[in-house]
Amino acid sequence: LNNPKTQAVLAAAAKEKRTVLLEPEAKEICRIYGIPVPDFGLAQTSAEATQLAEKIGYPVVVKVVSPDIVHKTEAGGVIVNLNSAKEVQGGFATILDNAKKVPNAKIAGILVQKMAPKGVEVIVGGLRDNQFGPSVMFGLGGVFVEVLKDTAFRVAPIDDLDAVEMIRDVRAYKILKGVRGQAPADERAVAQLIKAVARILLENPSVDQIDLNPVMVYADGATAVDARIVLGGK
Amino acid sequence: MAAIEKMFNPETVAVIGATDSEGSVGRSLMKNLLLGKHKRTIFPVNPNHANVAGLKSYPSVSKIPGHVDLAVIATPAKTVPSLVEECAESGVEGAVIISAGFREVGSDGLRLEEQIREIKRNHDIRILGPNCVGMIRPHLCLNTSFLRDNPEPGQIAFISQSGALGAAILNWAVSARIGFSLFASLGSTLDIDYGDMIDYLGEDPHTRSIIIYMEDVRNAKKFMSAARGFARTKPIIVLKAGRNPAGAKAASSHTGALAGDYEVYDAAFKRVGVVMVDEIGDLFNCASVLDSRFLPAGPRLAIVTNAGGPGVLAADAIVSQRGVLAELTEESLRTLDSKLPPYWSHGNPLDIIGDADIERYETAVRTCVSDPHVDGLLVIYTPQGTTDPMAIAEAVVRIAADRRKPILTVWMGEDSVRDARDLFRKEDIPTYPTPEEAVKTYMYMYRYKSNLDLLYETPEELSVDFSPPKSHLKVLVQRALKEGRTSLSPTDVDRFLDAYGIPRAPSGLAKNVEQASAVASQIGYPVALKIASADILHKTDARGIELGVGSPDQVTEQFNSLLERVQKLRPQAKIDGVYVQKMTSGVDCELILGAKKDPHFGSVILFGMGGTTVEMVRDFSIGLPPLNQVLARRVMEETKVYHALVKGLRNRPPVESRLLEGVMIRFSNLIVDFPEIAEIDINPLVVSNGKLVSLDARIVLDPNVPAGEAHPHLVILPYPTKWVTPWTLKDGTEVVLRPIRPEDEPIELELIRGLSPETSRFRFFQVIKDLPHEALVRFCNIDYNREMAFIAETREGDRRIEIGVARLILEPNRKRGEFAVVVADRHQGKGLGTKLVDMLIAAAREWEVETMYGIVMAENTSMIRLCEKLGFTIQRKGENVLAELHLK
């Protein structure tokens, strides 16, 4: 049943008995399923990081990649909006310093990622429900999900109609349509993302949870800025 | 205005339009009224008949020998004004006008109502209706309606605005064997309204609870005042029609658009302890349980059941109604484990399994009743196997007899549990056919209780309780209105925020580029540029905002392009310049704080999640000013965003509740001080690093504020500061004389405790050494619209001491008021009593009270002398004297 392209990624994690995929692994799976993610690369050295940044184009974000650091922001493992090689070098060093403060943390490298421009923030998630099996969730980012619990759920598989329905189910849908003179966001791109998340769950029984948060939605297209995949399914 | 007591308990009734014709209203009225012929005299009035229903008929009311207490009028509308006039001139106390054809038919009908109102201006007659079905008082065998139903006496008073719906509900209630103390339909509410009825029923010994079907509140001030007075002793339960607005109203502010009719009613009712229900059935459910003295102290409900399903349904209902599923204490769990079979559910709901017998039910119920983590109990029984529903019901009745906690019952099924349900009803134990209904009622009980607690609450003193300088703001408002403007410029709005201590981002107005750069460099970059024009309400729509302007060069560039594009989009707008505002970094959350004027309830305050998406998010709640700390918190607690903020958003510092409360209270002070404000929006009020900052605020003025009244825009009067007077006792002691406030509870108690037995007896007619919290609240938390208490306060070091208090309580008709005064023993004879009573006379004059009176013990000679000195007449009444002062 396993999707052959994802097998290698999942097998590597399973071999190391990791239940949470590293960010580059999660993003690799996203890419396989057609979920747009910002250009990224993994750097082991400061020089590699600069090279990657030059290749990707500024501004960039640098993030720590470690199986032992789950809450990257709290651990000082994320620095955004770096605009030059010098800034990247500085950012690389700071993150390494901060990571060393976490006892016994294994560092897989530093992720260098293109800084995504601001769009409408949404969240797309997936989980394996005890009764209903693979299910997906959609909501608008920030206070909408956190404070208002303004979300829509559907059981996979998801077709175009389901996905569009989910998007329109949430109270904050009007924001996607564009408020106060803003252009409407690309609903179809979001729908594709929701469908892809459902497929990841359906085709990879070992995937238990997926969290794309935030996803930036633009007038044309959408990008998953951060991705988290938890294993534990069968 | 005359009292309504007599017309609601008449000895003589005239029926104008009485007839014998089959199927007529006049005949039905006679038939119903004659049911009470052994209690009162009925006079048919009909010039066309010599006799009606076997009684002598009179050609007109004026021809009836002797005094008529009540006239019931059922003749065509056009004849009614002259009939009312005749009644008024013959000294009839009140009229029930059954006739239709008034405001409901348009302008002709309104004219007739105006004629009746004109008659009322010159006479004391009171009027129920017109276009009402009348009233029924089963205890008195009085039925002035033409309805076929004749309900049994009971303890519920039912007031309906709509006659037809009222009659239908009554019919249903009669067949459900629900008794009433009163039924009345108010019809057009030309005179007697909800406020009058509540005042009357509040004193009626037969009435334990009041249920109301309401379309609109009519005189909101009167309703609120009456409800506040009696909600504590008699639950008032309202079914309000018109929950969903017919269509979205055009509103110029977010607050205006959000705070709909229903939301405002809900907030207003909560404030005075009135329960608002969703359905007709809830009216009666609540009426039968809310008058119980055993209301739940909290929302934690325990469920005892002999089947899993209904238990889970009940648990779901608790969660969805925002109640709490009680968590039993370890001790209770141990007790239950030791006494119940091992396969019980080991938690709440307590599933004691299908074969549960009396003993098992008793164990479970008793344990829950004694558990300190349980506020109330729901006992569910489903018919299974050999268990006997009646025997288990009897066991529950036995346990419930000690009434330590509310117990609600659900005996599911029909035939097999009917006897058990009858038993519960007989024993006054609430019983319902489904767990959901039981939970819903429990939550009504809890909410009623917690709203009553709000009335009892003694708010802490906050340092924000200040009176800011406001005359310069009044000048701003006056100038704007004189110039025909109804909106204020951003810099004027800033003056309001600054005066009331509502934090805002630093800013300044710039007329040209040079000024803009100067302002920006003074407040610091980056800045936002915003168009300043009284004609542009929504700046974003006019593309009049530029954010994140980071340098003098950018200011130069953006300033001109902003002006150009706004002028192109809004060529008519008069532009004052550009408002330069410091950008606030790290915005965690956007809030809205606003106020608007509701047509019924006056100014209301709105708090909630803000930003440009407020109308979509709809996470807000409404409160009525004036707010104190407790009330402010209560308003905010109804929103999700408040809970998220005080807990702290993900990765963000929490916001201190105190900070939010302070801003709410100061905002409330602003609203109280300015009846000229029609609408105000502070949106967004942003949360940044645990601090609050206003980024945008708008004020719309109301050009039509009635002069003369200090608070024409409030239905709950604020603390009457104008009575605060510094004064000196004869011995030189400096005191402050001022109206009492809820915070005075401790010093009031201290005064009462410190009185000598004689002084205590003179004041209370018995020696009082202590008073329960509830009684003290009644003394200190008063409705300044119908009661006044002035206290004299001195200071000894840091301690505040109350050395005297005088009180005047108006009777509901507002014609008479009773006063009483007491001065601490060691300060007697220093002129304080005289001064306090003199202040009461001033208050009474302002209320246009006709007579002020006091009952004084005959031995209390110094008090009698005081009264004589102030011009009271003294009359001996047994062991006491009556001191009366006529003010008119």
PDB file of all heavy atoms in Angstrom, chain B residues 290-320:
ATOM      1  N   LEU B 290     -36.900  27.645  39.525  1.00  0.00           N
ATOM      2  CA  LEU B 290     -36.028  28.754  39.894  1.00  0.00           C
ATOM      3  C   LEU B 290     -36.395  29.387  41.232  1.00  0.00           C
ATOM      4  O   LEU B 290     -35.575  30.065  41.838  1.00  0.00           O
ATOM      5  CB  LEU B 290     -36.023  29.831  38.805  1.00  0.00           C
ATOM      6  CG  LEU B 290     -35.429  29.423  37.460  1.00  0.00           C
ATOM      7  CD1 LEU B 290     -35.306  30.622  36.560  1.00  0.00           C
ATOM      8  CD2 LEU B 290     -34.089  28.761  37.634  1.00  0.00           C
ATOM      9  N   ASP B 291     -37.635  29.197  41.669  1.00  0.00           N
ATOM     10  CA  ASP B 291     -38.002  29.812  42.944  1.00  0.00           C
ATOM     11  C   ASP B 291     -37.515  28.961  44.116  1.00  0.00           C
ATOM     12  O   ASP B 291     -37.680  29.312  45.266  1.00  0.00           O
ATOM     13  CB  ASP B 291     -39.510  30.035  43.028  1.00  0.00           C
ATOM     14  CG  ASP B 291     -40.275  28.732  43.051  1.00  0.00           C
ATOM     15  OD1 ASP B 291     -39.670  27.691  42.718  1.00  0.00           O
ATOM     16  OD2 ASP B 291     -41.460  28.750  43.400  1.00  0.00           O
ATOM     17  N   SER B 292     -36.901  27.830  43.773  1.00  0.00           N
ATOM     18  CA  SER B 292     -36.386  26.958  44.826  1.00  0.00           C
ATOM     19  C   SER B 292     -35.263  27.662  45.574  1.00  0.00           C
ATOM     20  O   SER B 292     -34.481  28.401  44.992  1.00  0.00           O
ATOM     21  CB  SER B 292     -35.854  25.690  44.177  1.00  0.00           C
ATOM     22  OG  SER B 292     -34.939  25.072  45.027  1.00  0.00           O
ATOM     23  N   ARG B 293     -35.187  27.432  46.862  1.00  0.00           N
ATOM     24  CA  ARG B 293     -34.091  28.009  47.628  1.00  0.00           C
ATOM     25  C   ARG B 293     -32.819  27.185  47.441  1.00  0.00           C
ATOM     26  O   ARG B 293     -31.777  27.496  47.962  1.00  0.00           O
ATOM     27  CB  ARG B 293     -34.464  28.102  49.102  1.00  0.00           C
ATOM     28  CG  ARG B 293     -35.405  29.265  49.377  1.00  0.00           C
ATOM     29  CD  ARG B 293     -35.741  29.395  50.847  1.00  0.00           C
ATOM     30  NE  ARG B 293     -36.487  28.227  51.334  1.00  0.00           N
ATOM     31  CZ  ARG B 293     -36.042  27.417  52.286  1.00  0.00           C
ATOM     32  NH1 ARG B 293     -34.864  27.610  52.818  1.00  0.00           N
ATOM     33  NH2 ARG B 293     -36.770  26.392  52.688  1.00  0.00           N
ATOM     34  N   PHE B 294     -32.926  26.089  46.702  1.00  0.00           N
ATOM     35  CA  PHE B 294     -31.786  25.184  46.560  1.00  0.00           C
ATOM     36  C   PHE B 294     -31.229  25.240  45.151  1.00  0.00           C
ATOM     37  O   PHE B 294     -31.235  24.273  44.414  1.00  0.00           O
ATOM     38  CB  PHE B 294     -32.205  23.774  46.947  1.00  0.00           C
ATOM     39  CG  PHE B 294     -32.864  23.757  48.286  1.00  0.00           C
ATOM     40  CD1 PHE B 294     -34.248  23.751  48.389  1.00  0.00           C
ATOM     41  CD2 PHE B 294     -32.103  23.820  49.440  1.00  0.00           C
ATOM     42  CE1 PHE B 294     -34.854  23.778  49.638  1.00  0.00           C
ATOM     43  CE2 PHE B 294     -32.699  23.852  50.679  1.00  0.00           C
ATOM     44  CZ  PHE B 294     -34.086  23.833  50.782  1.00  0.00           C
ATOM     45  N   LEU B 295     -30.809  26.412  44.781  1.00  0.00           N
ATOM     46  CA  LEU B 295     -30.226  26.580  43.453  1.00  0.00           C
ATOM     47  C   LEU B 295     -28.784  26.081  43.478  1.00  0.00           C
ATOM     48  O   LEU B 295     -28.118  26.141  44.512  1.00  0.00           O
ATOM     49  CB  LEU B 295     -30.278  28.050  43.057  1.00  0.00           C
ATOM     50  CG  LEU B 295     -31.685  28.592  42.811  1.00  0.00           C
ATOM     51  CD1 LEU B 295     -31.667  30.104  42.713  1.00  0.00           C
ATOM     52  CD2 LEU B 295     -32.302  27.986  41.566  1.00  0.00           C
ATOM     53  N   PRO B 296     -28.307  25.579  42.343  1.00  0.00           N
ATOM     54  CA  PRO B 296     -26.942  25.053  42.323  1.00  0.00           C
ATOM     55  C   PRO B 296     -25.914  26.152  42.592  1.00  0.00           C
ATOM     56  O   PRO B 296     -26.025  27.247  42.060  1.00  0.00           O
ATOM     57  CB  PRO B 296     -26.777  24.507  40.910  1.00  0.00           C
ATOM     58  CG  PRO B 296     -27.898  25.061  40.107  1.00  0.00           C
ATOM     59  CD  PRO B 296     -28.989  25.424  41.052  1.00  0.00           C
ATOM     60  N   ALA B 297     -24.925  25.802  43.401  1.00  0.00           N
ATOM     61  CA  ALA B 297     -23.872  26.775  43.704  1.00  0.00           C
ATOM     62  C   ALA B 297     -22.873  26.862  42.569  1.00  0.00           C
ATOM     63  O   ALA B 297     -22.096  27.789  42.498  1.00  0.00           O
ATOM     64  CB  ALA B 297     -23.177  26.381  44.993  1.00  0.00           C
ATOM     65  N   GLY B 298     -22.871  25.867  41.684  1.00  0.00           N
ATOM     66  CA  GLY B 298     -21.900  25.876  40.591  1.00  0.00           C
ATOM     67  C   GLY B 298     -22.413  25.061  39.422  1.00  0.00           C
ATOM     68  O   GLY B 298     -23.511  24.502  39.471  1.00  0.00           O
ATOM     69  N   PRO B 299     -21.610  24.982  38.366  1.00  0.00           N
ATOM     70  CA  PRO B 299     -22.058  24.291  37.150  1.00  0.00           C
ATOM     71  C   PRO B 299     -21.751  22.794  37.123  1.00  0.00           C
ATOM     72  O   PRO B 299     -21.992  22.146  36.127  1.00  0.00           O
ATOM     73  CB  PRO B 299     -21.269  25.018  36.057  1.00  0.00           C
ATOM     74  CG  PRO B 299     -19.996  25.437  36.715  1.00  0.00           C
ATOM     75  CD  PRO B 299     -20.323  25.672  38.169  1.00  0.00           C
ATOM     76  N   ARG B 300     -21.197  22.230  38.225  1.00  0.00           N
ATOM     77  CA  ARG B 300     -20.727  20.830  38.182  1.00  0.00           C
ATOM     78  C   ARG B 300     -21.841  19.843  38.497  1.00  0.00           C
ATOM     79  O   ARG B 300     -22.348  19.793  39.614  1.00  0.00           O
ATOM     80  CB  ARG B 300     -19.571  20.653  39.168  1.00  0.00           C
ATOM     81  CG  ARG B 300     -18.373  21.551  38.868  1.00  0.00           C
ATOM     82  CD  ARG B 300     -17.395  21.584  40.021  1.00  0.00           C
ATOM     83  NE  ARG B 300     -18.052  22.011  41.261  1.00  0.00           N
ATOM     84  CZ  ARG B 300     -17.427  22.105  42.425  1.00  0.00           C
ATOM     85  NH1 ARG B 300     -16.144  21.787  42.522  1.00  0.00           N
ATOM     86  NH2 ARG B 300     -18.081  22.499  43.499  1.00  0.00           N
ATOM     87  N   LEU B 301     -22.211  19.083  37.498  1.00  0.00           N
ATOM     88  CA  LEU B 301     -23.341  18.167  37.630  1.00  0.00           C
ATOM     89  C   LEU B 301     -22.847  16.716  37.637  1.00  0.00           C
ATOM     90  O   LEU B 301     -21.994  16.341  36.839  1.00  0.00           O
ATOM     91  CB  LEU B 301     -24.303  18.400  36.455  1.00  0.00           C
ATOM     92  CG  LEU B 301     -25.658  17.700  36.491  1.00  0.00           C
ATOM     93  CD1 LEU B 301     -26.506  18.174  37.668  1.00  0.00           C
ATOM     94  CD2 LEU B 301     -26.416  17.948  35.188  1.00  0.00           C
ATOM     95  N   ALA B 302     -23.401  15.926  38.564  1.00  0.00           N
ATOM     96  CA  ALA B 302     -23.108  14.488  38.577  1.00  0.00           C
ATOM     97  C   ALA B 302     -24.327  13.747  38.049  1.00  0.00           C
ATOM     98  O   ALA B 302     -25.462  14.158  38.289  1.00  0.00           O
ATOM     99  CB  ALA B 302     -22.776  14.028  39.992  1.00  0.00           C
ATOM    100  N   ILE B 303     -24.074  12.657  37.322  1.00  0.00           N
ATOM    101  CA  ILE B 303     -25.158  11.900  36.709  1.00  0.00           C
ATOM    102  C   ILE B 303     -25.152  10.485  37.270  1.00  0.00           C
ATOM    103  O   ILE B 303     -24.133   9.804  37.218  1.00  0.00           O
ATOM    104  CB  ILE B 303     -24.970  11.835  35.181  1.00  0.00           C
ATOM    105  CG1 ILE B 303     -24.896  13.253  34.594  1.00  0.00           C
ATOM    106  CG2 ILE B 303     -26.081  11.029  34.531  1.00  0.00           C
ATOM    107  CD1 ILE B 303     -24.202  13.303  33.248  1.00  0.00           C
ATOM    108  N   VAL B 304     -26.286  10.066  37.809  1.00  0.00           N
ATOM    109  CA  VAL B 304     -26.429   8.684  38.273  1.00  0.00           C
ATOM    110  C   VAL B 304     -27.418   8.012  37.335  1.00  0.00           C
ATOM    111  O   VAL B 304     -28.521   8.539  37.124  1.00  0.00           O
ATOM    112  CB  VAL B 304     -26.946   8.637  39.729  1.00  0.00           C
ATOM    113  CG1 VAL B 304     -27.197   7.194  40.150  1.00  0.00           C
ATOM    114  CG2 VAL B 304     -25.960   9.319  40.667  1.00  0.00           C
ATOM    115  N   THR B 305     -27.032   6.888  36.756  1.00  0.00           N
ATOM    116  CA  THR B 305     -27.893   6.258  35.748  1.00  0.00           C
ATOM    117  C   THR B 305     -27.772   4.739  35.815  1.00  0.00           C
ATOM    118  O   THR B 305     -26.747   4.211  36.235  1.00  0.00           O
ATOM    119  CB  THR B 305     -27.523   6.768  34.335  1.00  0.00           C
ATOM    120  OG1 THR B 305     -28.305   6.072  33.365  1.00  0.00           O
ATOM    121  CG2 THR B 305     -26.047   6.553  34.016  1.00  0.00           C
ATOM    122  N   ASN B 306     -28.836   4.057  35.387  1.00  0.00           N
ATOM    123  CA  ASN B 306     -28.748   2.602  35.323  1.00  0.00           C
ATOM    124  C   ASN B 306     -28.570   2.125  33.874  1.00  0.00           C
ATOM    125  O   ASN B 306     -28.734   0.960  33.576  1.00  0.00           O
ATOM    126  CB  ASN B 306     -29.963   1.939  35.976  1.00  0.00           C
ATOM    127  CG  ASN B 306     -31.245   2.195  35.196  1.00  0.00           C
ATOM    128  OD1 ASN B 306     -31.287   3.084  34.344  1.00  0.00           O
ATOM    129  ND2 ASN B 306     -32.276   1.418  35.493  1.00  0.00           N
ATOM    130  N   ALA B 307     -28.259   3.078  32.972  1.00  0.00           N
ATOM    131  CA  ALA B 307     -27.977   2.702  31.585  1.00  0.00           C
ATOM    132  C   ALA B 307     -26.935   3.646  31.024  1.00  0.00           C
ATOM    133  O   ALA B 307     -26.953   4.838  31.326  1.00  0.00           O
ATOM    134  CB  ALA B 307     -29.259   2.760  30.752  1.00  0.00           C
ATOM    135  N   GLY B 308     -26.029   3.128  30.212  1.00  0.00           N
ATOM    136  CA  GLY B 308     -24.927   3.944  29.699  1.00  0.00           C
ATOM    137  C   GLY B 308     -25.388   5.040  28.759  1.00  0.00           C
ATOM    138  O   GLY B 308     -24.977   6.195  28.884  1.00  0.00           O
ATOM    139  N   GLY B 309     -26.276   4.699  27.816  1.00  0.00           N
ATOM    140  CA  GLY B 309     -26.692   5.629  26.772  1.00  0.00           C
ATOM    141  C   GLY B 309     -27.188   6.971  27.289  1.00  0.00           C
ATOM    142  O   GLY B 309     -26.609   8.013  26.964  1.00  0.00           O
ATOM    143  N   PRO B 310     -28.231   6.956  28.124  1.00  0.00           N
ATOM    144  CA  PRO B 310     -28.759   8.235  28.612  1.00  0.00           C
ATOM    145  C   PRO B 310     -27.717   9.029  29.402  1.00  0.00           C
ATOM    146  O   PRO B 310     -27.708  10.259  29.362  1.00  0.00           O
ATOM    147  CB  PRO B 310     -29.912   7.836  29.534  1.00  0.00           C
ATOM    148  CG  PRO B 310     -30.182   6.404  29.271  1.00  0.00           C
ATOM    149  CD  PRO B 310     -28.994   5.800  28.616  1.00  0.00           C
ATOM    150  N   GLY B 311     -26.811   8.312  30.070  1.00  0.00           N
ATOM    151  CA  GLY B 311     -25.750   8.981  30.815  1.00  0.00           C
ATOM    152  C   GLY B 311     -24.842   9.751  29.878  1.00  0.00           C
ATOM    153  O   GLY B 311     -24.497  10.907  30.131  1.00  0.00           O
ATOM    154  N   VAL B 312     -24.480   9.111  28.759  1.00  0.00           N
ATOM    155  CA  VAL B 312     -23.605   9.776  27.789  1.00  0.00           C
ATOM    156  C   VAL B 312     -24.331  10.965  27.170  1.00  0.00           C
ATOM    157  O   VAL B 312     -23.764  12.046  26.997  1.00  0.00           O
ATOM    158  CB  VAL B 312     -23.144   8.783  26.701  1.00  0.00           C
ATOM    159  CG1 VAL B 312     -22.328   9.500  25.643  1.00  0.00           C
ATOM    160  CG2 VAL B 312     -22.332   7.667  27.332  1.00  0.00           C
ATOM    161  N   LEU B 313     -25.623  10.789  26.847  1.00  0.00           N
ATOM    162  CA  LEU B 313     -26.398  11.902  26.280  1.00  0.00           C
ATOM    163  C   LEU B 313     -26.427  13.077  27.252  1.00  0.00           C
ATOM    164  O   LEU B 313     -26.276  14.238  26.858  1.00  0.00           O
ATOM    165  CB  LEU B 313     -27.834  11.460  25.973  1.00  0.00           C
ATOM    166  CG  LEU B 313     -27.997  10.507  24.796  1.00  0.00           C
ATOM    167  CD1 LEU B 313     -29.467  10.117  24.644  1.00  0.00           C
ATOM    168  CD2 LEU B 313     -27.492  11.152  23.508  1.00  0.00           C
ATOM    169  N   ALA B 314     -26.612  12.770  28.528  1.00  0.00           N
ATOM    170  CA  ALA B 314     -26.646  13.836  29.534  1.00  0.00           C
ATOM    171  C   ALA B 314     -25.284  14.526  29.613  1.00  0.00           C
ATOM    172  O   ALA B 314     -25.205  15.755  29.670  1.00  0.00           O
ATOM    173  CB  ALA B 314     -27.027  13.266  30.904  1.00  0.00           C
ATOM    174  N   ALA B 315     -24.211  13.718  29.573  1.00  0.00           N
ATOM    175  CA  ALA B 315     -22.867  14.297  29.641  1.00  0.00           C
ATOM    176  C   ALA B 315     -22.618  15.207  28.440  1.00  0.00           C
ATOM    177  O   ALA B 315     -22.084  16.308  28.575  1.00  0.00           O
ATOM    178  CB  ALA B 315     -21.823  13.186  29.702  1.00  0.00           C
ATOM    179  N   ASP B 316     -23.055  14.767  27.253  1.00  0.00           N
ATOM    180  CA  ASP B 316     -22.912  15.598  26.055  1.00  0.00           C
ATOM    181  C   ASP B 316     -23.665  16.909  26.219  1.00  0.00           C
ATOM    182  O   ASP B 316     -23.169  17.978  25.868  1.00  0.00           O
ATOM    183  CB  ASP B 316     -23.469  14.870  24.822  1.00  0.00           C
ATOM    184  CG  ASP B 316     -22.529  13.773  24.345  1.00  0.00           C
ATOM    185  OD1 ASP B 316     -21.374  13.751  24.828  1.00  0.00           O
ATOM    186  OD2 ASP B 316     -22.949  12.957  23.513  1.00  0.00           O
ATOM    187  N   ALA B 317     -24.880  16.804  26.757  1.00  0.00           N
ATOM    188  CA  ALA B 317     -25.701  18.007  26.925  1.00  0.00           C
ATOM    189  C   ALA B 317     -25.014  18.988  27.876  1.00  0.00           C
ATOM    190  O   ALA B 317     -25.031  20.190  27.648  1.00  0.00           O
ATOM    191  CB  ALA B 317     -27.092  17.635  27.452  1.00  0.00           C
ATOM    192  N   ILE B 318     -24.390  18.465  28.916  1.00  0.00           N
ATOM    193  CA  ILE B 318     -23.696  19.346  29.863  1.00  0.00           C
ATOM    194  C   ILE B 318     -22.593  20.120  29.159  1.00  0.00           C
ATOM    195  O   ILE B 318     -22.481  21.336  29.283  1.00  0.00           O
ATOM    196  CB  ILE B 318     -23.087  18.529  31.030  1.00  0.00           C
ATOM    197  CG1 ILE B 318     -24.198  17.979  31.910  1.00  0.00           C
ATOM    198  CG2 ILE B 318     -22.130  19.388  31.854  1.00  0.00           C
ATOM    199  CD1 ILE B 318     -23.721  17.002  32.945  1.00  0.00           C
ATOM    200  N   VAL B 319     -21.800  19.408  28.379  1.00  0.00           N
ATOM    201  CA  VAL B 319     -20.681  20.070  27.694  1.00  0.00           C
ATOM    202  C   VAL B 319     -21.199  21.108  26.703  1.00  0.00           C
ATOM    203  O   VAL B 319     -20.728  22.242  26.669  1.00  0.00           O
ATOM    204  CB  VAL B 319     -19.785  19.030  26.994  1.00  0.00           C
ATOM    205  CG1 VAL B 319     -18.723  19.728  26.153  1.00  0.00           C
ATOM    206  CG2 VAL B 319     -19.136  18.120  28.038  1.00  0.00           C
ATOM    207  N   SER B 320     -22.232  20.731  25.928  1.00  0.00           N
ATOM    208  CA  SER B 320     -22.681  21.679  24.900  1.00  0.00           C
ATOM    209  C   SER B 320     -23.400  22.880  25.516  1.00  0.00           C
ATOM    210  O   SER B 320     -23.514  23.913  24.890  1.00  0.00           O
ATOM    211  CB  SER B 320     -23.538  20.989  23.847  1.00  0.00           C
ATOM    212  OG  SER B 320     -24.736  20.555  24.410  1.00  0.00           O
TER     213      SER B 320
END
